[in-house]
Amino acid sequence: MKLEAETGDVTSQLCTFLVDELHFGVPVEHVQEVLRYQEMTPVPLAPAVVAGLINLRGHIVTALDLRARLGLAPRGPDDRTAMNVVIRIGDSTVSLLVDDIGDVVEVEQGSFESTPPTLHASIRSLVGGVYKLKGELLLLLEAGLAIQMENPDGGHRSGHGERS
Amino acid sequence: MNLDETIQEFLIESRENLDALERGFVELETKPSDKEIIASIFRTMHTLKGTAGLLGFARLEHLAHAGESLLSNVRDGTQALTPEITSVLLAVVDRVRGVLGIVESTASDGTERHEDLVAALHALRSGAGAGAGSAAVAAASVRPAATSAPEPAAVPVAAPPRQPSAAPATPIPTPSVEATSTPPPAAQAALNSPPPAGVASSVSPSASIEAAPAPTSAVEASASPPPGSSAKPAAPTADAHPSTADLNVRVDVHLLDKLMNLVGELVLARNQLVQYGARNEDPAFTSASQRLSQITTELQEQVMKTRMQPIGTIWSKLPRVVRDLAVSLGRQIRIEMAGAETELDRTILEAIKDPLTHIVRNSVDHGIEDPPVRLAAGKPRTGTLSLRAFHEGGSVNIEISDDGAGLKLDAIRKKALDRGVITADRAMRMSDNELMQLIFMPGFSTAEKISNVSGRGVGMDVVKTNIEKIGGTVDLSSRPGAGTTIRIRIPLTLAIIPALVIESGGQRYAIPQVNLLELVGLDADEAKTAIESIRGSAFFRLRGRLLPLVFLDELFNPPPVPPPSLTGLPRAATGLPKPAGRQFAGAANIVVLQADEHQFGLVVDDVQDTEEIVVKPLGKELKGVAIFEGATIMGDGRVALILDVAGLAQHAAAFDPRRGSGQAAAAETDKDADEAERQSLLLFSVGEDETMGIPLSRVARIEEFPRSKIERAGRRPVAQYRGAILPLVELSPALYNTATATDGANVHVIVYSGRERAIGFIVNKILDVVEESYTVDRSTARSSVLGAAVVQGKVIEILDADDVLRMHAPTLLPQGAS
């Protein structure tokens, strides 16, 4: 649902989850599904954010460690507690590893604010804004950026891996 | 509109029949007296007529009946098949298609009575002069499209098929189609006067109706006028035959998709079960869940196969396209197809259908020259267009080549300059290849005459975009005067390849069998002798050649790189652990691989089975990881990565710059060699005072004993040595064709340690043992010689002991070389 800068009546639904005690939300239309911990196949020589590959109904989906992506301490290799938030945008499907899954929350446009500058830079780069909910801040995750390997300023990988 | 099921059936069947008719007509032209084809065509037309009649489509029946009558004459032999007849019959096919479109939207066969075509058919039948037939054909060609059918968007199919209105309008010489550009002069002329009659196989028509190409896009109605009849038509030599209907069933695509989804859900549930099972100790449960796991994977693979179709299904239209186009341009072209059975996922087929057609048109239109031009150039009059499709690795390759004029680089350069695409300065500096790439830019077309076929300038850039959208690549090569080849490479979302499963570092990986040369398993002792370290890199001796070794676990978990302050010191002094390769203790599993010209051995922990695996692409986000070409789902539902052997070789070479890439191992000169890498070399003389060397590590002992001690066992010289029988090989005769220079009554023997026994090399004289670091120049390798090396300032040859053994005492080879 588009967030229109009109009256505060416009609401959107966010799928929420927890990463290092920070609450994040992603528009439900970007979330294909949420899963508990899935067996992953590690990808050697891939960037550290790549936690591995999971088999999602026959489709092989890359799992990115959102902790690492946000610049937080990555999970240990034996960590089996992470949950999967499978993001689907366009024809890209990537799973984000999070600490825990929250509820689907309805938020109002009126409660949306810009990201506070106190947030760490590496996290801010992936956050589009915050929703002030009772008692806490819900960070709006830029799912499209999150599922890429690096931030645009950090240098994009090109789409085609042209190997000779 | 909700059509009656019978009518839907009729539509599907009839469309298939029309396709068969079309293919049949085109093929028949090349074999006009083939009775089987004629009979089959006749039957099909007859069926069409019958079913149309049954459903009350009188006008359709009327038209089909006329066609059938004409065919009957041909079948009986009272009339010969002429190109004119073929053209008219093809026109009938097109018209029927149009009517089917009307049926689809209105459940009736429209108001049109098709008298024009019927008249043409009658005229031909009664032999009332070919001219009459052609005139009727010409008249037919002017007809506007059937009214309630979708507008024939017979544009160069580079335009997206679903938006005919967006594409530039084709100058079909009909008033109902709005023309944004004037129809070509030839077509205009044809409109005004009947085309020349005759079925002469003359070379160039004086005027021919500019044919609107048979649309191959999704648009159904195609009232494209039939091409003029004067030129010898294209002669396709497709090897595609209609598939046997009996072995196939027709299934609704939506049903298949539902099946896919269900299987997907099953797989997810299976995964959960397997995870649970791993923690569960109950053997009965474990075995049952494993069985379930296997079955689920197989089910998944089979269901996915239902989406695969041979590329021949989209190729089957092309002979007609080429034929019509060639006729209209007055050229002669044959089309060859190889690999029509290559299978592709449905969605990919859809995506490449139009690009392929466009490329083919380009070849016909811009590539293949007119017959007189070809003859003048010493080429055969008939141009050849060849299509080739094959699987390689995880991709499907499609090549379209023609033996035409090739890309006209000067025209391209000029066009690019005119369009301001490149500066004059750049234009002069561009390589031929770069110039060729310019055709992929939007709006680029160098056709001097804009035919309604191609040359509209919307072409190759759309082709490239469409192909890249599905993750593929397009490339082209061209030689002026000789022809052009376009290569499309598409990674398949579904490719099944045989692969070897190996294990390393606790994970499984798959290696495509196409890259696999052999497997070598060494036990601990063999590994010690077979694996050598030359200047810090590990090599493996395989039948006399040294192959670089890559340790997969090391590659995936690279040892720490020495910090800059420590470089330059011998490794031993840095206190860093030596890479595993150097101190090889224990057995080794070596997979000998080849990619391009690179051969190397990959050391893995375990070698498992060879399986057929389904190749899945890695996500875009992982495209940069060059050592993997995809992933697959194993029998237990787990994901295994598929190694890209070429990428692996490159990465390994980059990882250790001292490694050569395969055959040219150890050819670099490394000035700052470490202390620890000096080798002990035993120097000896053979032949006529030639000096050779052999690594001391292989030498057991150096002996000297009287010649009289040499006995014969069978034909082989042996000596009794330390309580065993030592087989002997005289190196001078073996390598230099001279007798061993005797030093008194004694012979000098280098005892070389083999696997179970030792062997003695008889040499002229033992010279020295030196410790030196050297590189073997493999370009000087010959039989029994590894190559030359500079040792102590002199050039000497290094003995290839295994090769000697192989030739003279094969049973004593130190490793299990096959």
Side-chain angles (χ1 to χ4, degrees), chain B residues 491-505:
Chain B
L492 294 172
T493 53
L494 186 74
I496 300 182
I497 58 168
L500 178 71
V501 178
I502 56 106
E503 202 186 292
S504 178

Side-chain angles (χ1 to χ4, degrees), chain A residues 41 55 57-58 62 92 163-164, chain B residues 264 300 616 621 637 639 644 650:
Chain A
T41 299
N55 173 3
R57 291 189 296 281
T62 309
S92 285
R163 308 190 282 274
S164 64
Chain B
Q300 184 182 35
K616 310 282 209 132
E621 55 281 344
V639 176
D644 178 331
Q650 285 188 356

Side-chain angles (χ1 to χ4, degrees), chain B residues 29 32 74 79-88 124 130 199 233 323:
Chain B
E29 261 190 324
V74 175
Q79 255 188 298
L81 187 78
T82 65
E84 205 185 341
I85 292 183
T86 306
S87 296
V88 173
L124 283 171
V199 298
R323 181 224 181 244

Side-chain angles (χ1 to χ4, degrees), chain B residues 233-299:
Chain B
T237 56
D239 60 4
H241 285 291
S243 55
T244 344
D246 318 319
L247 298 177
N248 297 328
V249 295
R250 199 179 299 132
V251 178
D252 187 331
V253 170
H254 297 117
L255 182 57
L256 284 181
D257 286 343
K258 267 194 228 156
L259 214 55
M260 275 276 279
N261 282 338
L262 282 174
V263 168
E265 297 290 334
L266 180 64
V267 166
L268 201 58
R270 183 277 311 271
N271 289 352
Q272 289 173 337
L273 210 61
V274 164
Q275 272 186 42
Y276 177 66
R279 293 193 278 278
N280 191 306
E281 295 290 317
D282 182 353
F285 177 85
T286 311
S287 98
S289 81
Q290 273 176 357
R291 182 90 188 103
L292 177 71
S293 184
Q294 243 173 328
I295 297 175
T296 306
T297 305
E298 271 195 53
L299 180 63

